[in-house]
Amino acid sequence: MTDSTIQFSDLALNDAILSALDGMGFVSPTPIQAAAIPHLLEGKDALGKAQTGTGKTAAFSLPLLNKLDLGQRKPQAIVLAPTRELAIQVAAEVKNLGKNVAGLKVLEIYGGASIVDQMRALKSGAHIVVGTPGRVQDLINRDRLHLDEVHTFVLDEADEMLNMGFVDDVTEIMEHAPETAQRVLFSATMPPMLKKIVDRFLREPEYIDVAGKNHTVDKVEQQFWVVKGVEKDEAMSRLLETEETDASIVFVRTRQDTERLADWLSARGFKAAALHGDIPQSLRERTVDHIKQGVIDILVATDVVARGLDVPRITHVFNYDIPFDVESYIHRIGRTGRAGRKGKAILLVRTNQIRMLRTIERVTKSSMEEIQLPLRDKVAEARLVKLGEELAQETEHKSLDKFAELVEKLQETLEIDAATLAAILLKRQQGKRPLFYIGEDPMIAAIERDKQRRKERRENRDRDGARDGGRNFNTQDWDTYQLQVGREQGVQVKDIVGALANELGLTKGSIGAIKLDRESTYVQLPKAMTSDVAGKLQKLRIRQKEAGAVVVDFNDFREPRGRRDGGRRDGGGYRGNRDGGGYRGNRDG
């Protein structure tokens, strides 16, 4: 039996899990699921190499759920995720896949939330813990998270976890794992640091490689709009009216938002419906049938219920809310570009979410085009054009003579001419979607404010560049590298500069801004490095520790207030060398 024909019912999964999958409309596993689940059900260690968006969360979650002892109060599985957002997303998917497993308790733990509440939840019992490495290690150290009954450890997006500086936490957690525990690791890439973890902790693992290129992004044109000037509801209305759509999905985060936004759009004349997990299965199926048949044109949906949805007429995906992780984004935009057609995805993003947008671009190896929202006069023009097209289809209607008689009667009754009567009828026709606007569009002021901010930023960069001997630290000529060393390892800025100058042969003009953090360091290096220098960078050691340099999406090199001390600032910042000669630093890198 091949992966293309295997079904979940062919796997050794219990009835509660199969019924949940059936209820979600999942029949056949993805390649990573078909390859991984049999090995994981046998209890083997596994190393899965899979691009995000391939369904790897279910690949490790289904075997976990299948072998739980629901009578055991202590955690039986630990899933580590690199970010709070991904931990929440994974926990939500595990809960959804296990919704028919009576008494299941899944607990997410991460920094930024009350550790007291998390300790209380652990005390009351949890079968599966999904958490970030730092918080998991903290609770282990406090003797609140006990691993003696854990039979499975999962590292999800392990490469990203190590890139973020969690190598020590991950190592310590794995050292606490019971000798008999199954160890499972999923990663899109296999950097040297990760290979060391694999060699040390995985025992004769099964290698599962379905890391082929994800073609979803190739078929979908991607754009984003930075939220400004108008509310997102108004923005959605403008986009839906000016884009050449057939059918669309609008993704939001919560069930409440699906209902609210669908009602808001419907009140303005759009054929929209909500789709979320609390809607009965029969109604969900009818809603999907309605969009396939053209009864409705817009689904406002949450992530989980739209996974696997295949409607060829969907031309656009609108991300009203940015997803928590890249995998969800790929699932979302994969709902368009079906049946060989091109699709379009538009993301509404707030300024404090730009970093997540850049992460999506980096992981998917794609680029999004920033767009401006159509001004409302353009929207009104689009409405008038659409109305004209609809009226043109009625010019040969057999009942027009009767309506012409009514027009004459109304003219006589109201004592008005035909043009005035037509204007009155047009006014009634427009409803809540005006055919023209009075007053200035708030978007115009927002665009002008944006232009002014950009101008001020350029002027500030120019002034900074003049103070720094003409050097300008921006992202056009530099890549930002994250080094896996920081203050915790006793590293200082001079060590970084010295190692880069002495070991890589970089001059002072080839080292950009530096920011030293607790467990890592960010440094700007030229995009145009030679292959020889790039090769040396990959082998760089600082204070006898591997730097593990990786390119990241980071540009927050703002200098904290404080005194200057030989290039190093109170906050660990460094704006390049200014001492007129080479910054030699220490040679112990």
Side-chain angles (χ1 to χ4, degrees):
M1 182 174 291
T2 64
D3 289 352
S4 60
T5 59
I6 193 172
Q7 296 187 347
F8 283 114
S9 56
D10 298 318
L11 302 173
L13 298 170
N14 64 46
D15 291 341
I17 295 172
L18 290 174
S19 64
L21 291 168
D22 184 61
M24 291 184 282
F26 294 157
V27 176
S28 299
T30 67
I32 188 67
Q33 293 164 2
I37 289 174
H39 294 305
L40 300 189
L41 287 173
E42 293 177 10
K44 295 180 180 178
D45 287 6
L47 171 60
K49 189 176 181 186
Q51 291 285 353
T52 187
T54 54
K56 54 186 171 61
T57 303
F60 62 73
S61 298
L62 294 174
L64 283 185
L65 293 166
N66 201 69
K67 58 182 177 180
L68 288 178
D69 176 2
L70 297 172
Q72 171 58 253
R73 287 169 50 84
K74 288 185 178 180
Q76 296 166 57
I78 304 291
V79 180
L80 297 179
T83 65
R84 163 184 177 162
E85 291 77 15
L86 184 58
I88 293 170
Q89 182 77 18
V90 169
E93 186 157 351
V94 174
K95 292 173 185 176
N96 198 43
L97 292 168
K99 62 185 178 181
N100 294 341
V101 178
L104 173 66
K105 288 188 177 182
V106 180
L107 174 65
E108 52 267 44
I109 57 176
Y110 44 79
S114 168
I115 196 169
V116 175
D117 290 345
Q118 292 171 359
M119 289 190 294
R120 188 179 298 116
L122 282 170
K123 187 175 182 180
S124 67
H127 300 112
I128 299 174
V129 170
V130 184
T132 51
R135 180 53 62 91
V136 168
Q137 182 59 35
D138 193 357
L139 288 166
I140 292 172
N141 290 340
R142 293 170 183 249
D143 197 31
R144 299 305 177 95
L145 175 56
H146 303 125
L147 307 185
D148 49 303
E149 297 294 335
V150 173
H151 55 59
T152 309
F153 283 82
V154 178
L155 274 63
D156 190 20
E157 297 199 9
D159 51 354
E160 189 67 17
M161 219 173 317
L162 301 189
N163 286 344
M164 294 175 66
F166 286 125
V167 61
D168 290 339
D169 287 325
V170 169
T171 301
E172 288 187 44
I173 292 167
M174 295 301 288
E175 285 174 345
H176 283 90
E179 187 65 29
T180 57
Q182 180 183 27
R183 294 94 188 270
V184 180
L185 186 150
F186 281 93
S187 180
T189 61
M190 195 56 56
M193 201 180 338
L194 186 56
K195 190 175 185 304
K196 290 183 178 180
I197 297 285
V198 172
D199 291 343
R200 180 174 175 185
F201 293 109
L202 271 63
R203 301 150 304 189
E204 299 181 0
E206 294 288 342
Y207 287 89
I208 305 157
D209 188 353
V210 292
K213 181 175 174 56
N214 191 307
H215 294 284
T216 297
V217 294
D218 297 337
K219 298 181 293 184
V220 180
E221 180 184 358
Q222 299 173 79
Q223 297 176 335
F224 71 95
W225 172 68
V226 180
V227 178
K228 56 181 180 290
V230 301
E231 292 297 321
K232 289 201 292 183
D233 289 0
E234 168 69 12
M236 278 306 314
S237 175
R238 295 191 188 193
L239 291 169
L240 286 165
E241 291 195 65
T242 54
E243 287 287 322
E244 295 184 6
T245 66
D246 186 357
S248 308
I249 299 184
V250 180
F251 280 102
V252 297
R253 281 185 179 163
T254 68
R255 174 187 63 78
Q256 292 83 357
D257 280 341
T258 65
E259 301 279 3
R260 184 197 62 77
L261 184 56
D263 288 345
W264 190 91
L265 291 172
S266 297
R268 281 151 186 80
F270 295 98
K271 295 189 290 185
L275 191 69
H276 57 76
D278 288 349
I279 294 175
Q281 179 67 23
S282 59
L283 181 55
R284 292 210 303 265
E285 291 173 357
R286 185 159 67 248
T287 302
V288 173
D289 285 339
H290 282 173
I291 196 167
K292 288 180 178 179
Q293 298 163 6
V295 177
I296 60 173
D297 294 325
I298 303 164
L299 285 179
V300 185
T302 54
D303 284 298
V304 174
V305 295
R307 292 196 175 187
L309 185 66
D310 188 359
V311 180
R313 67 181 290 252
I314 292 175
T315 56
H316 286 63
V317 166
F318 295 95
N319 291 280
Y320 182 93
D321 293 320
I322 194 169
F324 285 124
D325 62 277
V326 181
E327 183 169 347
S328 293
Y329 176 80
I330 293 175
H331 276 297
R332 287 180 178 189
I333 70 172
R335 299 312 100 210
T336 186
R338 317 289 285 189
R341 302 168 64 182
K342 294 290 286 186
K344 180 181 279 192
I346 298 178
L347 172 65
L348 276 57
V349 58
R350 299 191 184 278
T351 52
N352 62 353
Q353 298 169 332
I354 293 291
R355 190 171 179 186
M356 182 61 196
L357 181 148
R358 300 304 177 201
T359 299
I360 291 171
E361 289 184 313
R362 175 172 53 83
V363 174
T364 61
K365 296 180 173 62
S366 61
S367 178
M368 294 191 211
E369 173 195 4
E370 182 176 1
I371 59 172
Q372 291 291 350
L373 202 65
L375 297 179
R376 65 184 185 184
D377 286 344
K378 290 290 185 184
V379 177
E381 288 177 17
R383 290 171 181 166
L384 189 59
V385 168
K386 183 178 180 182
L387 177 59
E389 292 172 348
E390 292 173 351
L391 294 176
Q393 295 175 6
E394 300 291 336
T395 55
E396 301 298 326
H397 197 283
K398 61 184 180 181
S399 300
L400 286 183
D401 290 343
K402 295 292 185 182
F403 286 101
E405 293 175 8
L406 291 178
V407 168
E408 292 178 3
K409 287 183 179 180
L410 286 170
Q411 284 181 256
E412 293 174 5
T413 303
L414 300 174
E415 298 181 350
I416 56 176
D417 57 29
T420 303
L421 179 57
I424 293 172
L425 293 173
L426 274 178
K427 179 179 179 297
R428 288 175 60 88
Q429 171 70 25
Q430 71 176 357
K432 294 185 179 180
R433 298 165 71 175
L435 295 170
F436 64 89
Y437 287 93
I438 298 173
E440 190 172 89
D441 186 346
M443 274 303 300
I444 295 175
I447 291 171
E448 289 303 314
R449 288 195 300 270
D450 191 49
K451 287 181 180 177
Q452 183 61 30
R453 282 195 295 267
R454 292 173 189 262
K455 179 182 177 183
E456 290 173 358
R457 282 199 295 267
R458 284 196 300 270
E459 291 173 351
N460 290 337
R461 284 200 300 265
D462 290 343
R463 284 197 298 270
D464 289 344
R467 287 198 299 267
D468 292 338
R471 306 212 11 246
N472 191 358
F473 299 109
N474 55 54
T475 57
Q476 296 175 1
D477 305 314
W478 307 82
D479 277 329
T480 299
Y481 287 82
Q482 183 184 38
L483 310 181
Q484 311 305 319
V485 291
R487 293 196 191 95
E488 287 286 311
Q489 291 78 35
V491 171
Q492 300 179 35
V493 170
K494 66 180 181 179
D495 299 320
I496 305 295
V497 177
L500 294 171
N502 297 332
E503 305 303 323
L504 273 63
L506 296 178
T507 63
K508 76 166 189 178
S510 298
I511 302 174
I514 296 175
K515 184 169 185 177
L516 188 67
D517 282 345
R518 187 168 65 90
E519 295 182 343
S520 61
T521 300
Y522 300 93
V523 57
Q524 286 182 321
L525 298 175
K527 287 182 181 291
M529 283 194 298
T530 66
S531 58
D532 179 57
V533 173
K536 291 179 180 178
L537 178 62
Q538 296 304 313
K539 301 175 182 177
L540 183 68
R541 297 177 69 85
I542 298 173
R543 284 191 170 270
Q544 307 304 321
K545 303 184 188 309
E546 289 187 6
V550 291
V551 178
V552 295
D553 176 29
F554 179 87
N555 195 34
D556 186 13
F557 290 99
R558 292 170 295 180
E559 299 178 18
R561 294 177 181 176
R563 62 181 180 82
R564 186 178 302 177
D565 184 14
R568 185 181 177 192
R569 309 254 173 191
D570 290 349
Y574 173 74
R575 293 287 303 224
N577 189 17
R578 302 187 180 92
D579 63 4
Y583 195 131
R584 302 305 292 174
N586 293 339
R587 289 189 60 88
D588 61 358

